[in-house]
Amino acid sequence: MIKYFVGAVFLITGLSTAAAETHSRDVAARKASVVNGHVYYNQNQCTSGPIAQVKVKVAPKHGSVEIRRTTYNPPKGQRCYGKKFNAVVVVYTPKKGYHGKDTFKTRHSMPKYVQGSQMNYFTDTYKINVK
């Protein structure tokens, strides 16, 4: 079970209908690493939002990507501390013996609740440096 989240935490408010981000991460060789996480919740009411639907759009050439469900606990001092929210993490594992650069893309979606339902789509590019 993954206990720690790395990367951006997106809240249910203020999302656009399409977005793209690039994430650069250094990861250890021979080890699975969380390179990003997604959680949606209402900070005012401390209620869960939808679970992000994440899929690998372009696979890495020198490793593998796994999408795992987990929970997110807001840190001490933040609103909703002590609550658990459903989340998704993106985990990258390099091939045995590989050191160097790798890249992959994911696409995730979630409902947008503004004047009726529609879907938001986000494409993230990951630039990985395996050390």
Side-chain angles (χ1 to χ4, degrees):
M1 171 69 57
I2 294 178
K3 295 182 182 178
Y4 300 100
F5 244 65
V6 176
V9 175
F10 299 101
L11 302 179
I12 201 164
T13 58
L15 295 174
S16 61
T17 56
E21 287 193 44
T22 299
H23 307 276
S24 297
R25 302 282 188 260
D26 290 334
V27 301
R30 303 178 311 271
K31 184 177 170 185
S33 299
V34 174
V35 294
N36 201 6
H38 303 281
V39 61
Y40 302 98
Y41 67 96
N42 182 313
Q43 284 185 316
N44 295 324
Q45 299 174 355
C46 296
T47 55
S48 289
I51 298 172
Q53 302 299 310
V54 182
K55 295 184 185 215
V56 177
K57 189 173 178 183
V58 177
K61 292 181 181 177
H62 306 288
S64 61
V65 176
E66 184 180 359
I67 310 303
R68 296 182 190 169
R69 286 193 178 194
T70 187
T71 56
Y72 170 74
N73 304 318
K76 191 172 185 176
Q78 284 193 2
R79 185 159 172 74
C80 305
Y81 171 73
K83 299 272 186 176
K84 289 184 178 182
F85 300 100
N86 291 323
V88 175
V89 291
V90 179
V91 180
Y92 173 82
T93 306
K95 288 181 181 175
K96 186 175 181 177
Y98 182 76
H99 295 273
K101 308 278 185 196
D102 205 357
T103 186
F104 66 93
K105 291 184 179 188
T106 61
R107 179 176 173 148
H108 63 279
S109 61
M110 65 157 293
K112 179 180 179 183
Y113 302 105
V114 177
Q115 297 175 345
S117 292
Q118 66 182 51
M119 293 300 289
N120 286 329
Y121 297 96
F122 305 89
T123 299
D124 290 334
T125 300
Y126 297 85
K127 294 182 179 182
I128 306 296
N129 183 26
V130 181
K131 294 186 167 193

